[in-house]
Amino acid sequence: EALVVKRGMVFTYESRRSFEADTANRENYRRRGLVLTELDRYEVHQMEPDLGPAVECGVHLDGTEHTVDPLRLTRAFAESFQRRGGTILRETVRDLETGADGPPRVVTDAATHAPDLIVLAAGAWSGRLAARLGSRVPLAAERGYHVMLPDPGVSLSRPIRLSDRYVVVTPMEHGLRLTGIAEFSGLDKPSNDARADLVLRQAQAVIPGIRTEGMTRWMGHRPSTPDSIPVIGRSPRHPSVLFAFGHCHSGLSQAAVTGKLIGELAAGR
């Protein structure tokens, strides 16, 4: 729990026009029970003093949480799994073999495994493996970029969504993370650093005090479906295989409830 911070989130707007244009999005949050507080120019700068003069107004979204280190959080879950008797095999899955003699087998770079049950939760790579089981899934690799600033020179107390620029700035354990961009370029092409640099420039326009010394860039593949609804349930052709992928931009948010559903399916509940 120490890796999860509950301070809400701030949406910034650079004009009243952009604030009004985002009304439907805010009402969508309210209908789902979230509390939003509208902030004028003075109030938003009082809440986050390092925001620059471009910010005209804002909204504080209460009740949301963020993790200060997703990797450390993932490792904590993995360690808990192992303490409870689970085993983690660090192998690369090459194929899923099917035949007439029983459930599918998992072929890796180290061995061939014949488990009683398989959960296919391989993110953007799940479509390729589902195809090996005879299921064509409309799954695309929607690539996202982020920039990590270890010594940003500014201090933010909570995540900031720069609404005019489609960029989110999040304070984390090891600095400031700037995220944005949706790029459909497949699984195999190299990352495009220009995309990450664009995210940085957009953030600098709103938070001009940002420093870039020690900056690192990263690109990851979001497993996206056309309707943004994940694929959760048994394989249509192989009842011993459970699908759990396609969470688009919300993998961390939806992971727990997906795990619960998969656990219930696996246990026959």
Side-chain angles (χ1 to χ4, degrees):
E1 291 187 1
L3 293 171
V4 178
V5 177
K6 187 174 182 177
R7 294 196 187 123
M9 186 175 189
V10 167
F11 301 166
T12 67
Y13 303 93
E14 295 171 48
S15 68
R16 295 301 301 182
R17 183 177 179 180
S18 66
F19 174 81
E20 297 299 335
D22 200 34
T23 299
N25 186 48
R26 294 194 300 275
E27 289 306 313
N28 194 30
Y29 283 118
R30 287 191 172 102
R31 282 196 300 271
R32 283 157 174 77
L34 293 170
V35 177
L36 283 78
T37 304
E38 296 182 6
L39 308 169
D40 61 22
R41 173 187 282 272
Y42 174 78
E43 290 168 329
V44 73
H45 285 94
Q46 282 289 105
M47 185 170 280
E48 297 293 345
D50 282 341
L51 291 174
V55 176
E56 176 65 26
C57 57
V59 168
H60 179 236
L61 176 63
D62 195 21
T64 62
E65 305 176 25
H66 74 282
T67 177
V68 296
D69 192 331
L71 177 59
R72 202 148 73 85
L73 182 66
T74 304
R75 286 174 172 160
F77 286 138
E79 290 163 5
S80 173
F81 171 72
Q82 289 174 303
R83 284 197 302 271
R84 294 161 187 253
T87 302
I88 296 175
L89 304 178
R90 292 184 175 274
E91 302 174 12
T92 300
V93 175
R94 301 295 190 197
D95 197 6
L96 295 175
E97 283 185 349
T98 60
D101 56 343
R105 294 178 294 274
V106 182
V107 180
T108 76
D109 58 351
T112 297
H113 303 278
D116 297 324
L117 187 72
I118 296 169
V119 179
L120 177 51
W125 287 265
S126 299
R128 291 179 176 178
L129 293 169
R132 296 292 297 153
L133 300 172
S135 292
R136 293 184 61 193
V137 181
L139 188 72
E142 185 187 351
R143 299 168 13 145
Y145 289 81
H146 83 226
V147 170
M148 194 71 196
L149 304 175
D151 184 22
V154 297
S155 178
L156 300 175
S157 59
R158 54 183 59 81
I160 310 292
R161 189 191 79 176
L162 311 180
S163 300
D164 299 68
R165 300 171 185 272
Y166 302 98
V167 167
V168 176
V169 182
T170 304
M172 307 191 80
E173 199 168 51
H174 302 297
L176 208 59
R177 181 166 293 179
L178 322 176
T179 62
I181 301 289
E183 175 189 56
F184 293 94
S185 293
L187 288 166
D188 302 317
K189 288 186 179 179
S191 62
N192 182 347
D193 285 350
R195 302 275 190 243
D197 293 341
L198 175 60
V199 172
L200 174 63
R201 290 198 301 275
Q202 294 294 328
Q204 286 174 318
V206 182
I207 313 172
I210 286 176
R211 290 202 301 254
T212 60
E213 288 79 9
M215 176 184 91
T216 56
R217 303 175 183 89
W218 180 88
M219 182 273 290
H221 301 85
R222 304 180 185 102
S224 292
T225 59
D227 56 7
S228 299
I229 296 175
V231 181
I232 303 171
R234 292 193 184 275
S235 159
R237 295 172 180 263
H238 302 279
S240 66
V241 179
L242 296 171
F243 290 164
F245 54 82
H247 294 80
C248 309
H249 290 239
S250 303
L252 181 60
S253 303
Q254 297 179 4
V257 70
T258 298
K260 183 175 186 290
L261 292 170
I262 291 297
E264 290 172 350
L265 285 168
R269 296 197 298 270

